[in-house]
Amino acid sequence: MSFISRPDLGVWPTLGYVDSPLDRACHLRAGAADLLDHPAARFYLLGGELVALKGAGPVFDPLFDRAEAEARGRGEALFLGIESDGAPRFAKGFDPALREALEGDGLTVPDLRTIAVSGLIAPHHLGPVACGKALRAWHTRHGFCANCGAASRIVDAGWRRDCPSCGAQHFPRTDPVVIMLTARGDRCLLGRQPHFAPGMWSTLAGFVEPGETIEDAVRRETLEEAGVRTGKVRYFATQPWPFPMSLMIGCIAEATSEELVIDRNELEDARWFGRDEVTLMLTRTHPDGLFVPPPIAIAHHLIRSFIEGGHA
């Protein structure tokens, strides 16, 4: 086994959406309506992919008091949790079609990806915003009972929907997704999807199917998308990914074959990259302008782990 010198990539960046200062305080959810009047209660305003922000930047304030939130938002307030000082935090929605009106009212209304990539809010806000965004996305898609089709209603401050017709209870879901850095010796497998920005390559990923282990999902998705067989799979880390409501399960997979058979319905392209070339992509110094996802994404961290692994 040959040793590969480790490049100096500096301090390891922070993974996006994983840190939250909130105690979810599930024991308070049934009575969370009483917390709306708490003098320190604050609200995140979310409209689909959009987040309303106050201030002049470069770092904005995403928190609104109740009067501000009710003047601009709509629908029920979803309880996110309690700060360490006891201050309640909620998420409230707004109509994305009102973006221009909100901006005319002096607010800044970027999308959540831009906020995370550009550092437009303090990092400790990203976790609560991601939670609120995913929770609102689930409610938007699950307004009717999957059991009998009747309109359901929000209970427990957003953490359950009940059907008044058949009595079924529905809970917010998170979709498990495996995302894997597949390596063989000093090379790793990266792919491109059609919606990627020109020049961006990333790790492969796919949904875990019912009755499937994480390891089997890694092996199946890698084989289906790129035709590459894998053996050993080890866990790396997880990341909530609120687009719309997934949990990315990061893994490192050991390839046992190299020939590519690309599923063009899933991938625009896939290829093997050497460690040196991937380093140029990570540092955005590749002569052809190729690059990998930004530090907020777990794919970035998987790729950096491969670069700094040091062994072929």
Side-chain angles (χ1 to χ4, degrees), residues 91-159:
K92 197 170 180 65
F94 67 84
D95 185 346
L98 298 178
R99 181 180 192 175
E100 290 188 6
L102 291 174
E103 291 176 336
D105 194 29
L107 301 181
T108 300
V109 192
D111 64 85
L112 182 53
R113 290 178 194 262
T114 299
I115 287 173
V117 172
S118 302
L120 298 184
I121 60 177
H124 68 268
H125 287 302
L126 286 176
V129 168
C131 176
K133 192 269 181 185
L135 197 56
R136 289 201 72 253
W138 179 79
H139 283 291
T140 299
R141 296 180 176 206
H142 294 81
F144 295 88
C145 177
N147 186 52
C148 72
S152 58
R153 58 186 179 87
I154 294 177
V155 297
D156 277 357
W159 291 94

Side-chain angles (χ1 to χ4, degrees), residues 197-217:
M200 191 177 88
W201 292 74
S202 186
T203 53
L204 306 188
F207 289 101
V208 180
E209 295 185 344
E212 188 174 45
T213 67
I214 291 171
E215 294 84 355
D216 283 345

